[in-house]
Amino acid sequence: MEQHLLGACENSLVAVNNDSKLLRLQTLASIRSLIINPHTSDSTLSSLLETLTRSLQLPTADPLASHHSLKLLADLASRRPHLAPIILDSVRSANLLSADSPRLAVDALSALASISESDRNSPRIELDDQLFVSLCFGPSVTARLWLLRNAERLGLQSHVLFTVFLGFTKDPYPYVREAALDGLAGLCRNGVVLEDVGAIEGCFCRALELLQDSEDSVRCAAVRVVSEWGRMLVAANNEEDKRAWSDLVFIQLCSMVRDMNAGVRVEAFNALGKVQMLSEDVLLQSLSKKVLKIVKEKESVHRYPTERIKTFTSIAAGAFVHGLEDEFQEVRKSACHSLRMLVVLSTEFAGHALDLLMDMLNDDSMAVRLEAMETMHHMATFECLKVQETHMHMFLGTLLDNSALIRSTARKIFKLVKLPTLGLFRLSINGLLENLEMHPQDEAEVFLILFYMGQNHGKFASRIIKEVSQEVEPVCGEELVLDSARVAAFLVLSISAPLSRELGGQRIAHRFFSYAVTLLGRISSALRDIVDQNTLLVYLTQCSRSSNSFPMEVEGGALSLPVVDCVPGHTNLDVSTMSGIEMQQTGNGTSEEWSLTSCKLGDVAFVGEQLEEREKPMRVVNCILAKMKYLWQLVQSRCANQALKILRACKEEIAMVASESPEFGSAVAFTLQYIRVMKPFIRIWEHVVSKVQSYKVLQLEILFAKLDGRLREMRCRFVGFSKELEVHVLELVLVTSILKLSKLEICCYRDTICQLCDTISCLDSLQKDGSIELSIFVVEVKKTLPEVDTSMDFGCCSPLFKLVDLFTPKQINLSRRIRHISAEVEVLDNDAERPFVFVTGLPVSIPLGIMLRNVTTNNRLWVRITMSEDLTEYVFLDLVRLEVFDEVKKFKFVAPFYQTPKAVSVMLRVSIGMLRQQFANCSLHLSSSVIAFLCYPDLLGQTVERLFVWICASAYQSPSVGRIRSFRVRY
């Protein structure tokens, strides 16, 4: 087949040599098919290379044929890098670089540039300066446009590029002017420095002229040149003139924020945010439509460093007001981002800008609201956010926004902001409590922000706790009620106040710390990013015994909690300085909750050491799981191979934990299963989404089968999931189904759509009580799924494919509540030397020794005996009747097999299965199968068979994994 295609190619190219100028599209397609086919032999490629090279050297070659030949040669070099040097030499030797044929010369340059860039070892292309100028001034506008857009790839000197780009800014064709301006901006971005200030000023002035061009694209490019070369001009001048030039650049850019084209306005605001030095009066004028008095006084005497440019500061009047009131959300968003860059230049400017940003919190576009919030967060980071009482109503409203992203960003601002008065602090606390009441799923983040606010405003926090103490403490013999989210929030605020350096003469009553101990699991879950549970417990215990709530005095009279620098569970605290307590585990919550039973004075460092040593394996497990979040960044950066290497290292590390700490077997088993899930998931992602790896259909089908089976096994073989962990597993199922829909040749369309709907239903049921919040990825899939038709239409699924980029694995934290369901089975008193004897047609008994872990008596178990694909028997295991009630159940069971065949020998497969009631029609195989052989001797004139069972753990695994060994039955 290859030889036939190659012969057709040669015949067509010979026809070109005979001046017939025949290069059929079918021939081009055949040549390209040979190039892109990874299985094309090297000899065929060599012949094809020789044929294409010869076609370039023909004296009567058609320019169109040469164009196609060069394109094919470039494709061949990119697909076969080892041929790149040969192709490069062939194209260079064809002598196509001539000003007589600009189009052919441009085609040759394009091919040379592509080939040299595809092979790192190839020398960079260097075009003669004179030839470049000649081609640019040639009659072909297309060739001129390509040369200007790709000039930086041709190895030309910077002074030549500057001259050519500047000259063609006066070209009559707008696209050429745009390309020339983009070339000038690219020179500046690439670090080209001109020593002649006059040349820089001339380029800058030419860009100013083009700000009035009639073409929108040219004005956009001119704005970029004014920004880039304006910064170069500021840097090239002396210190006395730098600020004046910077003001000039800013004012000229402000003149473009009222342009008729929205794209030009966006470019103008993007450029305004890059100005790094400005006079305060110019900054303030950009926020006011009314010309300021100080500006009027300066305009009559102010002169800029050049007489060629005369301008007035009043041009900048109200620039940002116009941007924030623009009808296009892209312009408003760009104006907010530009303000973010400029607020650090002036405290007064930041105060006035905050008034405008507060109005943007009511914007119709969530993207604009979020950008305004990010700008205020930036101001808080640089300590230039001065919140006034007039702002609080609008600011607190963001805590009640329907968007979880807006609420989260608002809380981040409260984490950093410094409130000047008790009234503002009280309003902020009330706003966070309203957030907690309306959105209970935000509890963890609200508690964390309250902790930071108490630490930053210790004096105010102690006053608030004193005012609300009657809400926390019982009244007149009533019971103490601490299950209220509001009460828990006040306790978080109270335990953070002693960590402040501004507590003053106020003190927090020690009983509040005792109350907080009873909510340790709830509070520590919220504070897991800054302190671990053990450290927090010791801190609360010590504070609860101290009459003045200062168990440890450090510099400044404040406490210091150790910060977690890896993952939750890791601490650097020296517990030998703490007092001891006795603890007991209670509750069935998501986190482990501890109740205080008694407090004893004295040295109990041994208790703390025991606690830390006991939890060390779990910390290692959570540390490994924490790596998955950062590992996903490698996958998104198209470094999947590096991510898979990290997974292999994690697997080896978790194997060491399994050998040293068997009591943590369930957590270890889950971690191993999670790693096994991520391996095929990453490979599928790099094929379907990243497109950096190419798998055949069969290989991709196997990967999807592995991923589906392992996810199903993860959901079925583990119990004790927290809601967050269950939601994460369901998200993996969701994104797997969407990835599968992108390859309809390996999946059933209707079944996959049904699985998507079922997974969304499960997520909705988990969200009903409001304790969790679904990710943006799940929310968008819910919105898009009704638009997908259930008919076999691949195009209907395209909206779903666009959502996979929103998926990001969350950080998983395991507790000891997770349990792994497993089973082991062995055949008793049987081997190949002592087979079981049975009569054909009569039942035979198979004595089994079975061990079950974490299987309750409510589970429905079967022994499955399989002889062939069409013959399977099930025997029900009644654990109650067998009187097996221990956590680890060990017992003997005789399994009958009724359909003994009439054969010389046969092989059986025996396994344990369980039906999970929460997953309809979902059977789970718990154990590795055992293999049973039937054979017969001649006994008392009857045909009698013997059966012996051979344990073969590696021969069979769960069918959900997709690796079932085929066994041959011997007759």
Side-chain angles (χ1 to χ4, degrees), residues 682-734:
I682 291 174
R683 295 187 186 279
I684 291 172
W685 187 277
E686 67 172 347
H687 172 83
V688 177
V689 180
S690 301
K691 300 186 184 304
V692 296
Q693 181 68 38
S694 179
Y695 292 108
K696 297 181 180 179
V697 174
L698 181 59
Q699 293 173 324
L700 199 61
E701 186 175 1
I702 292 174
L703 287 175
F704 271 113
K706 288 181 179 180
L707 182 56
D708 286 339
R710 291 172 184 178
L711 284 172
R712 190 183 310 116
E713 190 174 353
M714 180 183 289
R715 296 179 65 191
C716 295
R717 295 195 66 171
F718 295 90
V719 293
F721 280 5
S722 64
K723 284 190 176 182
E724 291 78 6
L725 183 55
E726 191 167 355
V727 167
H728 176 63
V729 174
L730 288 173
E731 282 191 19
L732 288 174
V733 176
L734 200 63

Side-chain angles (χ1 to χ4, degrees), residues 154-187:
L154 304 179
L156 299 165
Q157 299 182 26
S158 57
H159 69 276
V160 175
L161 292 176
F162 173 78
T163 304
V164 172
F165 287 149
L166 186 59
F168 279 104
T169 56
K170 296 186 178 182
D171 194 272
Y173 293 95
Y175 289 118
V176 175
R177 297 198 299 274
E178 179 191 0
L181 287 169
D182 286 337
L184 289 173
L187 283 178

Side-chain angles (χ1 to χ4, degrees), residues 422-449:
L422 177 62
L424 293 179
F425 184 80
R426 183 182 288 108
L427 287 174
S428 302
I429 297 299
N430 291 336
L432 288 168
L433 292 176
E434 288 185 30
N435 176 195
L436 184 60
E437 181 181 355
M438 292 188 62
H439 302 281
Q441 66 271 20
D442 295 346
E443 179 180 286
E445 285 194 41
V446 172
F447 283 1
L448 180 63
I449 301 306

Side-chain angles (χ1 to χ4, degrees), residues 137-244:
F137 282 94
S140 175
V141 179
T142 305
R144 185 188 313 155
L145 186 60
W146 186 93
L147 289 167
L148 292 176
R149 288 177 176 174
N150 297 271
E152 297 179 4
R153 304 168 60 190
L154 304 179
L156 299 165
Q157 299 182 26
S158 57
H159 69 276
V160 175
L161 292 176
F162 173 78
T163 304
V164 172
F165 287 149
L166 186 59
F168 279 104
T169 56
K170 296 186 178 182
D171 194 272
Y173 293 95
Y175 289 118
V176 175
R177 297 198 299 274
E178 179 191 0
L181 287 169
D182 286 337
L184 289 173
L187 283 178
C188 191
R189 285 193 297 267
N190 293 335
V192 174
V193 179
L194 298 181
E195 298 180 357
D196 188 358
V197 180
I200 301 175
E201 184 180 334
C203 178
F204 177 76
C205 293
R206 177 58 188 153
L208 289 181
E209 295 174 13
L210 290 176
L211 289 178
Q212 309 303 322
D213 196 276
S214 59
E215 291 291 333
D216 298 338
S217 59
V218 177
R219 295 200 302 276
C220 283
V223 168
R224 293 191 289 268
V225 174
V226 168
S227 174
E228 298 292 341
W229 283 81
R231 282 190 291 168
M232 182 186 290
L233 191 57
V234 171
N237 277 274
N238 54 48
E239 294 297 328
E240 297 178 357
D241 293 336
K242 283 183 184 295
R243 186 173 298 275

Side-chain angles (χ1 to χ4, degrees), residues 16-218:
V16 174
N17 192 25
N18 295 330
D19 294 335
S20 64
K21 299 183 180 180
L22 178 63
L23 190 62
R24 302 178 184 275
L25 293 177
Q26 183 178 1
T27 303
L28 294 174
S30 301
I31 296 175
R32 181 165 177 78
S33 66
L34 289 173
I35 292 174
I36 65 176
N37 188 354
H39 302 291
T40 303
S41 62
D42 292 339
S43 59
T44 301
L45 291 175
S46 299
S47 301
L48 187 60
L49 173 59
E50 183 180 352
T51 302
L52 291 172
T53 303
R54 189 168 58 251
S55 69
L56 294 178
Q57 298 173 348
L58 296 175
T60 59
D62 183 15
L64 181 61
S66 299
H67 168 77
H68 290 303
S69 297
L70 288 169
K71 184 64 176 174
L72 291 171
L73 285 171
D75 291 342
L76 180 59
S78 64
R79 301 273 180 172
R80 301 293 192 274
H82 65 281
L83 296 176
I86 303 175
I87 298 174
L88 196 64
D89 293 338
S90 301
V91 175
R92 283 176 174 171
S93 61
N95 296 324
L96 301 176
L97 301 179
S98 173
D100 298 333
S101 179
R103 184 65 183 273
L104 187 58
V106 166
D107 291 337
L109 287 173
S110 177
L112 289 172
S114 300
I115 296 169
S116 62
E117 290 169 0
S118 64
D119 185 15
R120 296 180 180 179
N121 298 325
S122 298
R124 184 183 177 186
I125 181 175
E126 294 183 0
L127 183 63
D128 181 68
D129 296 341
Q130 184 176 359
L131 178 59
F132 173 75
V133 174
S134 300
L135 291 173
C136 286
F137 282 94
S140 175
V141 179
T142 305
R144 185 188 313 155
L145 186 60
W146 186 93
L147 289 167
L148 292 176
R149 288 177 176 174
N150 297 271
E152 297 179 4
R153 304 168 60 190
L154 304 179
L156 299 165
Q157 299 182 26
S158 57
H159 69 276
V160 175
L161 292 176
F162 173 78
T163 304
V164 172
F165 287 149
L166 186 59
F168 279 104
T169 56
K170 296 186 178 182
D171 194 272
Y173 293 95
Y175 289 118
V176 175
R177 297 198 299 274
E178 179 191 0
L181 287 169
D182 286 337
L184 289 173
L187 283 178
C188 191
R189 285 193 297 267
N190 293 335
V192 174
V193 179
L194 298 181
E195 298 180 357
D196 188 358
V197 180
I200 301 175
E201 184 180 334
C203 178
F204 177 76
C205 293
R206 177 58 188 153
L208 289 181
E209 295 174 13
L210 290 176
L211 289 178
Q212 309 303 322
D213 196 276
S214 59
E215 291 291 333
D216 298 338
S217 59
V218 177

